[in-house]
Amino acid sequence: MLRTELSRRASCSPETVRHYERIGLIEAPPRSTAGYRLYSTVHLRQVCFIRAARSLGFDLDEIRRMLVLARQPDAPCRPLDAVTKTHLRHIDEKIEQLRHLREALARILASCEGGKIATCGIVEALHGEDCQTKPNPSGFNHGGAHITR
Amino acid sequence: MLRTELSRRASCSPETVRHYERIGLIEAPPRSTAGYRLYSTVHLRQVCFIRAARSLGFDLDEIRRMLVLARQPDAPCRPLDAVTKTHLRHIDEKIEQLRHLREALARILASCEGGKIATCGIVEALHGEDCQTKPNPSGFNHGGAHITR
DNA sequence: AATGAACCCTGTAATCGTTACAGGGTCAAG
DNA sequence: CTTGACCCTGTAACGATTACAGGGTTCATT
């Protein structure tokens, strides 16, 4: 099959398929006399694998490693399991971060009372306390130009 | 103050400050005779605002709009409130997505029983069902090259 | 036979936010 | 005078994907 059909069956764009070949994630397929890429169902399975993993949030480098592992039917699948577990931990961390962030944002939002910008809690919150006019939080300027001309 | 001091007080890198100027997020400061950028505390406040908003996950385009709003003390802060609320919704959506993703991944992980790759549920799950050998999910190939030579 | 439409090829640049590099100049202290 | 820390500029890298320009090929319909 040609590139567009492969991409359609794997639910991605033709450009993405070319990209995967360019970065060596899938092998370059044979070509027709006109130079067209001729894909087999083996390629299709690989691209489907990649897309499924991408949609689960794996990055292409993780996927590259997974493909190497998945290619050997007789190898133990513990290493693949390990990659997946690590990824799951990353996702848990990301969720945790977003929760904190959500909380902070909600707090800030609550401080707005619908008045003018000048008295808005959001604006104030976003200016923080640890920057401001305090000149030199931890000494620096080790030999350098003037500080404040 | 010079760029490094500004960046240190705003907790970012000097390059980031230059970047913000380049994309017009902060105004270009006056220069010393040697061509050095000379920042005031007004710039500092702006960069702090930006960094605080970034750490809450706003993108630079949202921040650009917020800066315009925040600059007018007498304007009502409802528009700013709206931007923030929209962002909060985005975060909630992202958390929800990640939860789904986490669930899917955990299910897949559970299907691995520690045997060989050939029988591993992870590999199988990642190959999905909606690609495979089915040739033409929704008719296409409107006047084009051969489908399968 | 000619035309149009849908595909194919290539190389390159865009996106987002940030960092890094190269190849210079400036300034103060040792 | 050297060292070191900073300054300047322009440009390219990251990751994943998309977009564009400027071609060529195949097939169906006029």
Side-chain angles (χ1 to χ4, degrees):
Chain A
M1 75 196 86
L2 298 180
R3 202 159 47 120
T4 297
E5 192 189 348
L6 177 76
S7 72
R8 240 168 266 207
R9 288 213 231 169
S11 309
C12 64
S13 99
E15 291 300 305
T16 301
V17 177
R18 186 162 69 111
H19 178 61
Y20 290 164
E21 178 183 328
R22 213 166 358 186
I23 63 171
L25 208 54
I26 59 176
E27 271 183 37
R31 303 281 187 125
S32 78
T33 49
Y36 290 13
R37 290 173 181 82
L38 302 176
Y39 295 100
S40 70
T41 54
V42 175
H43 293 101
L44 178 57
R45 277 180 67 82
Q46 287 201 351
V47 176
C48 285
F49 184 100
I50 296 168
R51 296 310 297 172
R54 279 295 294 137
S55 80
L56 288 169
F58 289 92
D59 63 39
L60 293 184
D61 239 36
E62 287 172 314
I63 294 173
R64 193 192 304 276
R65 272 172 269 142
M66 291 164 82
L67 280 171
V68 172
L69 297 173
R71 250 191 274 280
Q72 295 142 322
D74 291 333
C77 66
R78 213 172 318 272
L80 184 59
D81 186 86
V83 173
T84 313
K85 273 188 178 129
T86 300
H87 184 58
L88 187 59
R89 266 200 308 278
H90 287 340
I91 290 176
D92 281 339
E93 283 164 22
K94 213 175 277 179
I95 291 176
E96 202 46 38
Q97 275 178 17
L98 276 181
R99 278 225 200 85
H100 283 312
L101 203 147
R102 197 225 116 90
E103 214 179 308
L105 200 58
R107 248 199 320 275
I108 288 176
L109 199 51
S111 71
C112 168
E113 290 166 351
K116 310 264 182 203
I117 286 287
T119 62
C120 179
I122 297 178
V123 177
E124 225 165 304
L126 285 174
H127 278 124
E129 305 93 15
D130 34 270
C131 85
Q132 297 295 45
T133 332
K134 289 178 230 157
N136 225 338
S138 63
F140 84 121
N141 187 254
H142 321 289
H146 298 288
I147 295 189
T148 4
R149 26 185 158 174
Chain B
M1 77 195 84
L2 298 180
R3 203 163 45 131
T4 296
E5 192 189 348
L6 177 76
S7 71
R8 241 169 265 207
R9 290 214 230 167
S11 310
C12 65
S13 98
E15 291 300 304
T16 300
V17 177
R18 186 162 72 110
H19 179 60
Y20 290 163
E21 178 182 330
R22 213 166 0 185
I23 64 172
L25 208 55
I26 59 176
E27 271 182 37
R31 303 281 186 126
S32 77
T33 48
Y36 290 14
R37 290 173 181 83
L38 301 176
Y39 295 101
S40 69
T41 54
V42 175
H43 293 101
L44 178 57
R45 278 179 66 82
Q46 287 202 352
V47 175
C48 285
F49 184 100
I50 296 169
R51 296 309 298 173
R54 279 294 295 137
S55 79
L56 288 169
F58 290 92
D59 63 39
L60 292 184
D61 239 36
E62 288 172 313
I63 295 173
R64 194 191 304 275
R65 274 172 266 142
M66 292 164 83
L67 280 170
V68 173
L69 297 172
R71 252 192 273 278
Q72 295 143 322
D74 292 334
C77 66
R78 213 171 317 273
L80 184 58
D81 187 86
V83 172
T84 312
K85 272 189 178 127
T86 300
H87 183 56
L88 187 59
R89 265 201 308 279
H90 287 339
I91 289 177
D92 281 338
E93 283 165 22
K94 211 175 279 180
I95 290 176
E96 203 45 40
Q97 275 179 17
L98 275 181
R99 276 224 202 87
H100 283 313
L101 204 146
R102 197 225 116 91
E103 215 177 310
L105 200 57
R107 247 199 321 276
I108 287 176
L109 199 50
S111 71
C112 169
E113 290 167 351
K116 309 266 182 203
I117 286 288
T119 63
C120 179
I122 298 178
V123 177
E124 225 163 305
L126 286 174
H127 277 124
E129 306 93 16
D130 34 273
C131 86
Q132 298 294 41
T133 332
K134 290 177 231 156
N136 226 338
S138 64
F140 84 118
N141 188 254
H142 320 292
H146 298 288
I147 294 187
T148 5
R149 28 187 153 167

